[in-house]
Amino acid sequence: MKILEINNLKKIYHTPKAEILALDDISFSLNEGEIVSIVGPSGCGKSTILSCLTGLLNKSNGEIINQNNLKFGYMLQNDALFPWLNILDNCLLGLKIQNKLTVENKKYVINLLKKYGLKDFIYSYPQNLSGGMRQRVALIRTLATKPDILLFDEPFSALDYQSRLSVSDDVYKIIHSEKKSAIIVTHDIAEAISMSNRIIILSNRPSKVKAIYNINMTDTSTPINNRKCKEFSIYYDKIWKEIDKNE
Ligand code: ADP
Ligand code: MG
């Protein structure tokens, strides 16, 4: 079932000196339970798309159809945890700000922390956790307010290669077991292929959709296993060439 549709999205930034056409013509959709990745060169407008979706920025033209008024949860590039708050308090912060810190919601967060391997770190501080664990905490903080659609802006880019792989697995597992849908912005083709149902490839700025790939793997158990499928390298080659094409 289609839960989000973006049609001919356009975004112009107005600065005192110039008008910058960031998004020229962006259309794609998201189905319930899907992970869609957006891949494109740096500066092409990936983050701008996410900001338009959440309403952080006003679009200049086009439409964003979110018929059921589903809620977005936004996870940023770095984990942005506060060093002076313990893990639980970091995760509860969004709820506190929104005035939704009920006993039930607190329980929900504690259960998520327990369920995803952070039971022994609930009262630890961020600096005592590995980068991968902190990303998991950041995701749980995002889940705390019970969003329907998770938006990730290059969520793993601050991590080393090994951690990226295992955090991708964690995030993939959490998205699916919590029955969320997600849009992931990344410039890592392998990450996009291994995690997504669909990949939207953007051109340079002013960005348009260059191509959309549906990803079908024989093994969808985890991103690390996906990478071992024979289809993986076929997709990789195709997408690599698509991005490389000058347009
Ligand atoms: P990406 O996330 O793909 O790297 P962004 O969405 O951050 O790209 O930016 C797209 C383009 O819009 C960039 O060329 C950038 O210079 C421009 N841009 C982003 N934010 C602003 C802003 N607040 N004012 C003016 N231009 C901006
Ligand atoms: Mg960006």
Side-chain angles (χ1 to χ4, degrees), residues 36-168:
V36 165
S37 287
I38 300 175
V39 177
S42 169
C44 76
K46 302 182 293 300
S47 300
T48 302
I49 295 176
L50 298 188
S51 300
C52 288
L53 288 179
T54 57
L56 214 62
L57 283 176
N58 289 323
K59 57 183 166 43
S60 306
N61 215 334
E63 52 182 8
I64 296 168
I65 304 171
N66 174 6
Q67 238 161 14
N68 296 321
N69 220 358
L70 297 177
K71 251 175 47 179
F72 290 103
Y74 203 164
M75 192 166 130
L76 296 167
Q77 201 152 5
N78 62 26
D79 57 54
L81 299 176
F82 290 116
W84 59 86
L85 293 178
N86 68 30
I87 297 307
L88 179 59
D89 287 338
N90 263 293
C91 290
L92 296 177
L93 196 61
L95 288 169
K96 263 188 203 158
I97 291 169
Q98 295 185 9
N99 221 356
K100 288 184 188 157
L101 189 57
T102 58
V103 175
E104 196 191 348
N105 283 338
K106 187 172 174 180
K107 227 184 234 168
Y108 174 69
V109 169
I110 291 174
N111 278 335
L112 285 174
L113 288 167
K114 286 181 179 166
K115 192 168 163 189
Y116 297 116
L118 293 157
K119 183 171 174 272
D120 297 331
F121 298 90
I122 289 176
Y123 302 104
S124 302
Y125 286 81
Q127 55 273 31
N128 299 320
L129 271 63
S130 68
M133 288 165 96
R134 283 203 298 268
Q135 285 306 99
R136 239 183 297 152
V137 173
L139 177 54
I140 292 170
R141 179 187 50 190
T142 307
L143 290 171
T145 52
K146 300 193 177 151
D148 308 291
I149 303 172
L150 299 168
L151 306 176
F152 296 88
D153 197 347
E154 310 206 15
F156 317 125
S157 55
L159 301 171
D160 60 77
Y161 183 69
Q162 206 64 33
S163 311
R164 285 179 88 113
L165 289 182
S166 72
V167 175
S168 305

Side-chain angles (χ1 to χ4, degrees), residues 4-29:
L4 184 68
E5 200 176 330
I6 290 118
N7 292 325
N8 310 106
L9 180 65
K10 194 184 205 108
K11 174 66 190 173
I12 303 166
Y13 284 105
H14 299 273
T15 69
K17 283 196 177 150
E19 291 197 334
I20 299 165
L21 177 58
L23 306 175
D24 187 9
D25 185 2
I26 304 292
S27 302
F28 67 94
S29 60

